[in-house]
């Protein structure tokens, strides 16, 4: 298979080589536009502590973050924001023609796309959709009196839908309640009405007309705001306004509210005319709710695409949420449907029958009264993402070295450190998914210790798994049976923690992320070590080990809104391999010294065994695994710059195939996590 072989080596490069098309800001652009942008950009590296620019300096460039984290510092030295992968800065000063109003420095080693001021201005002229997006974001930030660099703490979120009636409003009010009570954020819901339409009950107060609205009449507005028992506020807005009146009125109203609230949720009317359109133009994010039965609808997908491009939203600014229905059954396999790839599912809303029952207005919102429900857990997840509190755990590839992940999990459990999302490649996917299924670290350790010298081969591979070496040495059926014993037919939606499992497309070198369907099938794809296990065929794709393209899936967590990331890299650096070789040689010297005391026959047998062992040390399995891991470490090292804490538990007296040495590998993971515990606690202390 020469083609797949070449693709495999071609893709084995650091994540710093991110194509322009994979950047959310540019994801909706065409080939010619992407080529133009590529001709203007420079990749620039910064070391920890480097200053990109200072307050008062002239604007010289636009910056877009590929790797690392950058701190925005105010005039008094205070941290205004921490920007990460996909964020950008510097554009406000260029567009407004003024000097920088904040300092930006690197929090850890970073890599950016840099576009010089002149080239940036040319791109805005040549690419209308890019200009539209930046104008929109700048416009609604100026409404608040701040630029993007002077990041405002207030978020304006539009909530819209495709094919719903009142479910969207229920979602808006439950999200507002969770933000107010558990997020401790002052939140208001604006119920926006089209002309001659009223969707909200009379007890919510009178409608605020936008006609001739002036932000100075604050006393009148305050009287119209209804305070919900659940802790958030509600304001009904509308009354027959359109055109320029709607535009100026909505901008003025948003400007009034952002000085008083942390979150402004806009419950949009069924159509997007009049004030609905103007509200979208003032929004930072959009939550787009779609029924599960309509998620593959060509009409719905076309509508979503048009919606995003019309308003200049990037792919990560539209949160695509699939709502389960009473009689709908989730697909067992991960959907693969053309245009949907441009709109990855951000989350799911489980069906709850009680949501559709009449509720006493004096009672709190559903999600506050039903803390154990799946619906509430989903709302809580969205709340933590919006408030920047999500804590993610990236578990890397590394064959048997991955047993160190269990030691990491043991410390996190013991210290009461909660994880909101797990992303894993290869052995990291296997352990992360089993942990998220409800098996705690103690249970995982017992499973690991059940593998000894005699049973490991038969439990994980076995003679019945052998293949003629065409597409692999082993079928992988035995390891699937092993996993089924513990996971059964569990799907991602029943896992206690959201999990993202990474595999690689053999023929394109693309990353494939599993977060739906059968968990064991996803793990089996992710652990398909090239040449050792047969590739998994799924949805007309051939999938191999996820570590080939993403051995430390930090970027995956960032893509799903995780701001606080702990990464575990169990792969060995070049110096670790050198130390392992020195250990091997020292042990061999000790053995040779000890063998001198044996009989002539004993020495003969030793030297014969030693020669055979040395000859077969470079067997095909070692050749494949060592080569793969050498390359994966370079990718993982580059990706690690996107994490806040990196745990690197490496043992130089262990081998990648020592699945029977779980105890020492787990212990090593525990030791390294304890060494980093203070940093981990510091990271998550604001996430509780």
């Amino acid at each position: 298979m020469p083609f797949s072989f070449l693709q495999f080596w071609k893709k084995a490069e650091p994540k710093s080589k991110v194509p322009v098309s994979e950047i959310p800001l540019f994801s909706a652009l065409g080939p010619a536009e992407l080529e133009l942008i590529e001709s203007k950009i420079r990749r620039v590296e910064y070391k920890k502590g480097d200053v990109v620019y200072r307050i008062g300096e002239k604007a010289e460039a636009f910056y877009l973050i590929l790797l690392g984290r950058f701190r925005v510092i105010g005039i008094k030295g205070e941290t205004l924001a921490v920007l990460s992968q996909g964020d950008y800065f510097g554009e406000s000063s260029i567009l407004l023609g003024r000097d920088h109003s904040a300092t930006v420095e690197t929090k850890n080693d970073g890599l950016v796309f840099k576009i010089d001021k002149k080239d940036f201005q040319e791109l805005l002229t040549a690419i209308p959709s890019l200009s539209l997006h930046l104008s929109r974001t700048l416009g609604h930030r100026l409404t608040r009196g701040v630029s993007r660099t002077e990041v405002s703490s207030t978020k304006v979120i539009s909530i819209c839908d495709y094919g719903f009636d009142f479910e969207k409003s229920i979602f808006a009010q439950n999200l507002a309640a969770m933000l107010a009570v558990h997020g401790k954020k002052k939140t208001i819901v604006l119920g926006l009405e089209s002309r001659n339409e009223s969707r909200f009950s009379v007890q919510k107060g009178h409608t605020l007309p936008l006609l001739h609205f002036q932000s100075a009449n604050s006393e009148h507005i305050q009287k119209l705001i209804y305070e919900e028992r659940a802790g958030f506020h509600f304001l009904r807005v509308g009354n027959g306004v359109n055109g320029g009146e709607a535009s100026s009125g909505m901008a003025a109203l948003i400007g009034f509210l952002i000085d008083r609230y942390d979150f402004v949720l806009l419950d949009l009317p069924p159509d997007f005319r009049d004030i609905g359109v103007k509200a979208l133009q003032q929004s930072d994010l959009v939550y787009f709710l779609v029924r599960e039965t309509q998620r593959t609808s060509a009409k719905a997908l076309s509508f979503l695409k048009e919606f995003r491009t019309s308003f200049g939203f990037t792919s990560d600014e539209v949160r695509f949420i699939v709502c389960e229905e009473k009689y709908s059954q989730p697909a067992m396999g991960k959907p693969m449907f053309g245009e949907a790839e441009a709109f990855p599912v951000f989350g799911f809303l489980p069906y709850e029958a009680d949501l559709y029952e009449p509720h006493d207005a004096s009672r709190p919102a559903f999600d506050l009264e039903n803390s154990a429900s799946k619906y509430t857990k989903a709302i809580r997840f969205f709340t933590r993402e919006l408030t920047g509190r999500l804590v993610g755990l990236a578990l890397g590839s590394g064959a048997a070295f991955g047993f160190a992940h269990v030691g990491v999990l043991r410390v996190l459990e013991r210290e009461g450190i909660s994880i909101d999302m797990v992303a894993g490649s290869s052995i990291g996917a296997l352990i992360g998914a089993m942990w998220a299924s409800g098996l705690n670290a103690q249970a995982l350790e017992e499973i690991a210790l059940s593998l000894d010298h005699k049973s490991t081969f038969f439990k994980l591979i076995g003679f019945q798994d052998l293949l003629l070496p065409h597409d692999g040495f082993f079928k992988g059926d035995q390891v699937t049976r092993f996993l089924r014993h513990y996971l059964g037919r569990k799907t991602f939606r029943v896992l206690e923690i959201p999990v993202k499992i990474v595999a690689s497309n053999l023929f394109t070198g693309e990353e494939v992320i599993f977060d739906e369907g059968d968990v064991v099938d996803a793990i089996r794809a992710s652990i398909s070590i090239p040449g050792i296990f047969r590739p998994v065929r799924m949805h007309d794709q051939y999938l191999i080990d996820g570590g080939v393209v993403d051995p430390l899936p930090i970027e995956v967590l960032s893509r799903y809104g995780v701001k606080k990331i702990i990464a575990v890299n169990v792969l060995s650096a070049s110096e670790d391999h050198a130390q392992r070789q020195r250990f091997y040689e020292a042990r061999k010297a000790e053995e040779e010294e000890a063998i001198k005391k044996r009989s002539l026959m004993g020495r003969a047998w030793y030297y014969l065994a030693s020669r055979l062992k040395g000859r077969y040390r470079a067997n095909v399995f070692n050749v494949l695994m060592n080569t793969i891991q050498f390359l994966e470490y370079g990718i993982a090292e580059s990706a690690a710059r996107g994490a806040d804490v990196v745990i690197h538990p490496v043992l130089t007296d262990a081998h990648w195939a020592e699945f029977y040495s779980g105890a020492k590998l787990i212990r090593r993971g525990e030791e390294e996590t304890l060494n980093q515990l203070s940093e981990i606690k510091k990271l998550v202390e604001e996430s509780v």
Side-chain angles (χ1 to χ4, degrees), residues 172-470:
Q173 293 174 35
N174 278 281
L175 180 61
M178 189 68 75
L179 283 167
V181 176
H182 290 288
K184 296 179 173 54
K185 299 294 182 181
K186 196 169 183 183
T187 304
I188 186 169
V189 175
L190 267 61
L192 305 181
E193 298 177 351
S194 295
R195 232 170 305 163
N196 303 320
E197 180 238 13
S198 179
R199 297 180 295 127
F200 307 100
S201 55
V202 293
Q203 69 264 30
K204 299 292 185 184
H206 298 291
T207 300
L208 169 69
L210 286 181
L211 187 65
H212 307 306
F213 171 82
Q214 298 294 326
S215 59
N217 58 0
S218 58
E219 185 177 343
H220 173 62
I221 298 173
Q222 293 291 354
K223 289 180 179 178
L224 296 177
I225 293 175
Y226 176 84
E227 185 172 356
E228 292 277 2
R229 182 178 175 83
F232 66 93
H233 292 167
F234 181 92
L235 176 63
R236 187 166 56 186
V237 180
N239 208 23
V241 182
N242 59 17
E245 294 171 338
S247 179
S248 60
M250 181 57 64
L253 177 59
I254 295 296
F256 171 83
L257 294 173
I258 62 165
D259 290 331
R260 294 162 173 80
Y261 293 92
D262 299 306
F263 286 92
V264 179
L265 306 185
L266 309 177
D267 184 357
L268 269 60
D271 58 61
F272 297 110
R273 294 176 296 177
D274 303 334
I275 61 174
V277 170
K278 305 308 175 184
L280 283 165
Q281 292 172 343
Q282 301 298 324
S283 301
D284 296 297
L285 298 171
V286 176
Y287 277 170
F288 206 113
L289 277 60
V290 177
R291 294 183 189 277
E292 177 133 38
T293 52
Q294 293 179 323
R295 62 183 296 190
T296 59
S297 162
K299 184 177 179 181
L301 294 170
S302 176
F303 182 77
L304 284 167
K305 184 176 181 179
E306 180 65 26
F307 168 84
R308 194 183 75 176
T309 54
S310 296
F311 291 98
F313 288 108
T314 62
S315 58
D316 61 343
E317 289 175 334
V318 179
R319 306 291 170 79
F320 185 35
I321 298 177
V322 173
C323 301
E324 296 177 358
E325 299 176 78
K326 186 174 183 180
Y327 299 109
S328 66
Q329 291 294 324
M332 288 299 293
K334 181 171 177 58
M336 300 282 181
F337 43 84
E339 292 292 343
E341 292 301 309
F343 304 95
V345 176
F346 183 76
F348 292 87
L349 273 180
Y351 177 83
E352 288 284 355
D354 288 349
L355 281 170
Y356 304 98
E357 298 296 329
H359 286 274
D360 185 345
S362 65
R363 291 170 55 187
F366 172 86
D367 59 0
L368 300 183
E369 282 199 316
N370 300 270
S371 59
S373 77
K374 291 182 178 180
Y375 184 91
T376 297
K377 290 179 180 178
I379 297 293
R380 187 179 296 119
F381 179 88
F382 298 145
T383 299
R384 287 177 63 79
E385 191 275 328
L386 284 172
T387 55
R389 296 180 179 181
L390 288 182
V391 179
L393 181 64
L395 301 179
S397 60
F401 298 140
F403 278 152
H405 293 319
V406 179
V408 175
L409 296 173
R410 178 195 282 170
V411 175
L412 297 180
E413 286 181 3
R414 189 167 60 224
E415 297 296 329
I417 295 170
S418 297
I419 299 298
D420 295 293
M421 183 182 290
V422 176
S425 288
S426 199
I427 187 69
L430 187 154
I431 290 176
M434 292 182 77
W435 185 60
S437 74
L439 294 168
N440 61 20
Q442 179 62 36
L444 292 175
E445 182 175 6
E446 290 173 3
I447 294 170
L449 296 182
S450 71
L451 302 172
D452 53 34
H453 281 81
K454 294 180 179 179
S455 66
T456 298
F457 176 81
F458 297 101
K459 286 184 178 180
L460 300 182
I461 300 174
F463 289 114
Q464 71 272 29
D465 233 24
L466 284 170
L467 280 172
L468 290 175
H470 170 60

Side-chain angles (χ1 to χ4, degrees), residues 320-609:
F320 185 35
I321 298 177
V322 173
C323 301
E324 296 177 358
E325 299 176 78
K326 186 174 183 180
Y327 299 109
S328 66
Q329 291 294 324
M332 288 299 293
K334 181 171 177 58
M336 300 282 181
F337 43 84
E339 292 292 343
E341 292 301 309
F343 304 95
V345 176
F346 183 76
F348 292 87
L349 273 180
Y351 177 83
E352 288 284 355
D354 288 349
L355 281 170
Y356 304 98
E357 298 296 329
H359 286 274
D360 185 345
S362 65
R363 291 170 55 187
F366 172 86
D367 59 0
L368 300 183
E369 282 199 316
N370 300 270
S371 59
S373 77
K374 291 182 178 180
Y375 184 91
T376 297
K377 290 179 180 178
I379 297 293
R380 187 179 296 119
F381 179 88
F382 298 145
T383 299
R384 287 177 63 79
E385 191 275 328
L386 284 172
T387 55
R389 296 180 179 181
L390 288 182
V391 179
L393 181 64
L395 301 179
S397 60
F401 298 140
F403 278 152
H405 293 319
V406 179
V408 175
L409 296 173
R410 178 195 282 170
V411 175
L412 297 180
E413 286 181 3
R414 189 167 60 224
E415 297 296 329
I417 295 170
S418 297
I419 299 298
D420 295 293
M421 183 182 290
V422 176
S425 288
S426 199
I427 187 69
L430 187 154
I431 290 176
M434 292 182 77
W435 185 60
S437 74
L439 294 168
N440 61 20
Q442 179 62 36
L444 292 175
E445 182 175 6
E446 290 173 3
I447 294 170
L449 296 182
S450 71
L451 302 172
D452 53 34
H453 281 81
K454 294 180 179 179
S455 66
T456 298
F457 176 81
F458 297 101
K459 286 184 178 180
L460 300 182
I461 300 174
F463 289 114
Q464 71 272 29
D465 233 24
L466 284 170
L467 280 172
L468 290 175
H470 170 60
D471 50 5
F473 283 96
F474 303 102
K475 299 175 187 176
D477 294 343
Q478 183 61 26
V479 73
T480 298
R481 285 189 286 269
F482 178 81
L483 292 170
R484 290 273 179 225
H485 177 73
Y486 298 101
L487 295 172
R489 293 284 174 181
K490 286 188 175 181
T491 63
F492 281 85
R493 295 203 203 175
V494 302
L495 298 180
E496 296 180 6
I497 302 170
V499 174
K500 310 295 177 182
I501 288 179
V502 180
S504 308
N505 186 312
L506 174 63
F507 293 110
T508 66
E510 293 176 311
E511 179 181 72
V512 176
I513 299 175
F514 287 89
D515 54 12
E516 289 189 70
D518 189 289
V519 176
V520 170
D521 286 347
I523 295 173
R524 172 63 185 87
S526 187
I527 63 173
S528 297
I529 304 168
I532 296 179
F533 284 117
R534 180 169 57 189
V536 172
R537 184 176 182 181
M538 191 178 297
H539 301 287
D540 295 325
Q541 298 184 69
Y542 286 87
L543 304 177
I544 59 172
D545 197 306
V548 171
V549 295
D550 198 355
L552 194 60
I554 293 167
E555 181 188 353
V556 174
L557 293 173
S558 296
R559 203 179 305 167
Y560 285 89
V562 179
K563 296 297 183 185
K564 302 173 186 294
I565 299 176
I566 303 166
V568 188
N569 181 11
V570 299
L571 294 166
S572 299
S574 56
E575 56 269 26
D576 298 320
H577 287 288
Q579 188 174 343
R580 185 171 290 125
Q581 179 63 18
R582 289 193 294 270
F583 171 82
Y584 170 78
E585 291 171 353
R587 188 173 64 178
K588 184 178 179 182
E590 289 176 2
E591 290 175 352
E592 288 179 350
E593 190 63 32
I595 206 66
K596 291 178 181 178
K597 300 177 182 178
R598 291 191 185 182
S599 65
L600 180 62
M601 184 61 70
R603 292 198 299 273
W605 275 114
Y606 170 79
Y607 288 119
L608 178 60

Side-chain angles (χ1 to χ4, degrees), residues 25 60-64 88-91 94 113-115 120:
L25 180 62
E60 296 181 347
F62 168 79
Y63 305 85
L64 194 150
Y88 51 88
F89 55 92
E91 85 291 350
I94 295 176
F113 276 157
K114 181 178 180 180
I115 304 177
F120 179 66

Side-chain angles (χ1 to χ4, degrees), residues 19-250:
V20 173
S21 60
E22 292 185 12
I23 304 298
L25 180 62
F26 307 134
S27 60
L29 303 182
E33 294 168 325
L34 293 172
E35 185 177 351
L36 178 60
I37 290 173
E38 184 69 57
S39 70
K40 303 290 187 183
I41 62 174
R42 288 184 291 138
R43 289 173 170 82
V44 181
E45 291 194 21
Y46 291 94
K47 297 297 182 184
K48 182 178 180 179
D50 286 351
V51 175
V52 181
Y53 56 69
R54 299 182 187 276
I55 294 176
E57 291 182 349
K58 293 189 178 300
E60 296 181 347
F62 168 79
Y63 305 85
L64 194 150
I65 302 171
L66 294 179
L67 288 172
R69 301 193 175 225
F70 291 73
R71 193 161 68 102
V72 182
I73 305 170
I75 194 169
K76 298 179 181 179
E78 74 279 19
T79 298
L80 299 176
V82 176
L83 305 180
S84 57
Q85 188 177 53
D87 288 328
Y88 51 88
F89 55 92
E91 85 291 350
S92 297
S93 298
I94 295 176
L95 294 173
L96 296 173
R98 68 185 189 189
D99 296 339
H100 290 303
S101 55
T103 295
V104 177
E105 73 172 22
T106 52
K107 190 177 179 184
N108 53 5
D109 290 356
L111 178 73
V112 302
F113 276 157
K114 181 178 180 180
I115 304 177
D116 291 334
K117 178 180 177 180
K118 181 181 177 181
D119 291 333
F120 179 66
Q121 291 170 330
E122 290 177 1
L123 288 174
L124 294 183
T125 302
I127 306 175
S129 59
L130 179 61
S131 178
L132 172 65
H133 168 76
L134 293 175
S135 297
R136 177 183 59 78
T137 55
L138 178 63
H140 68 247
R141 285 181 171 86
L142 288 177
T143 298
R144 313 172 200 189
V146 296
S147 70
R148 182 180 175 95
T149 305
E150 302 163 318
V151 179
S152 169
S153 59
T154 302
K155 287 184 180 178
V156 180
I157 304 168
S158 282
I159 301 173
C160 51
D161 66 287
Y162 184 86
F164 281 105
D165 296 319
F166 59 90
E167 291 93 333
K168 171 172 56 65
S169 297
I170 293 175
F171 170 76
Q173 293 174 35
N174 278 281
L175 180 61
M178 189 68 75
L179 283 167
V181 176
H182 290 288
K184 296 179 173 54
K185 299 294 182 181
K186 196 169 183 183
T187 304
I188 186 169
V189 175
L190 267 61
L192 305 181
E193 298 177 351
S194 295
R195 232 170 305 163
N196 303 320
E197 180 238 13
S198 179
R199 297 180 295 127
F200 307 100
S201 55
V202 293
Q203 69 264 30
K204 299 292 185 184
H206 298 291
T207 300
L208 169 69
L210 286 181
L211 187 65
H212 307 306
F213 171 82
Q214 298 294 326
S215 59
N217 58 0
S218 58
E219 185 177 343
H220 173 62
I221 298 173
Q222 293 291 354
K223 289 180 179 178
L224 296 177
I225 293 175
Y226 176 84
E227 185 172 356
E228 292 277 2
R229 182 178 175 83
F232 66 93
H233 292 167
F234 181 92
L235 176 63
R236 187 166 56 186
V237 180
N239 208 23
V241 182
N242 59 17
E245 294 171 338
S247 179
S248 60
M250 181 57 64

